[in-house]
Amino acid sequence: MAHPMMFRDDDPLLARVRTIALALPEAAEKISHGRPTFFTQKVFCHFGGSMRRDGEWIAHDAAMTVRPDPADEPALRQDPRFWVPAYLGPSGWLGIDLDGDTDWQEIAELIDASYRVTAPRRLVQELDGG
């Protein structure tokens, strides 16, 4: 059974995430589990996500999930803006909601860090100009 689409392709928040993510070397987009997903050989960003609290599913449709730099992860987990996504949380992934007050520089830095954690070394070197 196919997953239902859980996004609008004309969502301006998705457009901003898409622009940032697809600017990275060899980044591509696919739909996985009904959500836009950005990857090279491995996924580095999902648009949208969900979490489970007290047995209930909580959708975060205007959000993104990333795998932060391991050095930054403990501090981000203490930041109340971040939440632990279902399924991906045990692997170090975190989610953050997006809205009109989003700091897009911070989002770009989070996407960049996630890319660096997941992308092949040669792509990270290309990103760094080497």
Side-chain angles (χ1 to χ4, degrees), residues 6 27 33 43 49 62 71 74 96 102 118 130:
M6 293 183 272
H33 296 88
V43 172
I96 185 169
T102 294
T118 62

Short mmCIF file of all heavy atoms in Angstrom, two decimals, residues 6 27 33 43 49 62 71 74 96 102 118 130:
data_model
loop_
_atom_site.label_atom_id
_atom_site.label_comp_id
_atom_site.label_asym_id
_atom_site.label_seq_id
_atom_site.Cartn_x
_atom_site.Cartn_y
_atom_site.Cartn_z
N MET A 6 1.90 13.65 2.14
CA MET A 6 1.70 14.43 3.36
C MET A 6 2.33 15.82 3.23
O MET A 6 2.90 16.34 4.18
CB MET A 6 2.28 13.66 4.55
CG MET A 6 1.51 12.40 4.85
SD MET A 6 2.12 11.52 6.30
CE MET A 6 3.37 10.51 5.55
N ALA A 27 23.05 16.36 -4.57
CA ALA A 27 21.82 16.16 -3.79
C ALA A 27 20.65 15.94 -4.76
O ALA A 27 20.60 16.54 -5.84
CB ALA A 27 21.54 17.35 -2.90
N HIS A 33 7.83 7.58 2.00
CA HIS A 33 6.82 7.53 3.05
C HIS A 33 5.91 8.76 3.01
O HIS A 33 5.51 9.29 4.05
CB HIS A 33 7.46 7.36 4.42
CG HIS A 33 8.19 6.06 4.55
ND1 HIS A 33 9.51 5.92 4.19
CD2 HIS A 33 7.77 4.84 4.96
CE1 HIS A 33 9.88 4.67 4.37
NE2 HIS A 33 8.84 3.99 4.84
N VAL A 43 20.09 9.50 2.98
CA VAL A 43 19.20 10.62 3.25
C VAL A 43 19.87 11.58 4.24
O VAL A 43 20.46 11.15 5.22
CB VAL A 43 17.86 10.12 3.82
CG1 VAL A 43 16.99 11.28 4.29
CG2 VAL A 43 17.13 9.28 2.77
N GLY A 49 7.58 15.34 9.34
CA GLY A 49 7.88 14.20 10.19
C GLY A 49 6.79 14.00 11.21
O GLY A 49 5.74 14.65 11.16
N ALA A 62 4.83 20.86 8.79
CA ALA A 62 5.64 22.03 8.43
C ALA A 62 6.91 21.97 9.28
O ALA A 62 7.09 22.71 10.24
CB ALA A 62 4.88 23.31 8.67
N ALA A 71 28.67 16.50 17.55
CA ALA A 71 29.14 17.43 18.58
C ALA A 71 28.04 18.41 18.99
O ALA A 71 28.04 18.90 20.12
CB ALA A 71 30.36 18.21 18.07
N PRO A 74 23.87 16.98 21.50
CA PRO A 74 23.41 17.12 22.89
C PRO A 74 22.79 18.49 23.18
O PRO A 74 21.74 18.57 23.84
CB PRO A 74 24.67 16.90 23.71
CG PRO A 74 25.55 16.06 22.84
CD PRO A 74 25.27 16.55 21.44
N ILE A 96 12.69 19.91 13.61
CA ILE A 96 12.44 21.30 14.00
C ILE A 96 11.29 21.81 13.13
O ILE A 96 11.24 21.57 11.93
CB ILE A 96 13.69 22.19 13.87
CG1 ILE A 96 13.40 23.61 14.39
CG2 ILE A 96 14.23 22.19 12.44
CD1 ILE A 96 14.64 24.49 14.55
N THR A 102 10.99 31.42 11.05
CA THR A 102 12.14 30.53 10.96
C THR A 102 13.40 31.30 10.60
O THR A 102 13.39 32.17 9.73
CB THR A 102 11.87 29.43 9.91
OG1 THR A 102 10.81 28.61 10.39
CG2 THR A 102 13.09 28.57 9.67
N THR A 118 26.23 12.53 6.50
CA THR A 118 25.71 11.41 5.71
C THR A 118 26.33 11.24 4.33
O THR A 118 26.30 10.15 3.78
CB THR A 118 24.19 11.55 5.53
OG1 THR A 118 23.91 12.76 4.81
CG2 THR A 118 23.47 11.56 6.87
N GLY A 130 37.36 21.39 -2.45
CA GLY A 130 38.55 20.58 -2.74
C GLY A 130 38.24 19.57 -3.70
O GLY A 130 38.53 18.69 -4.23
#
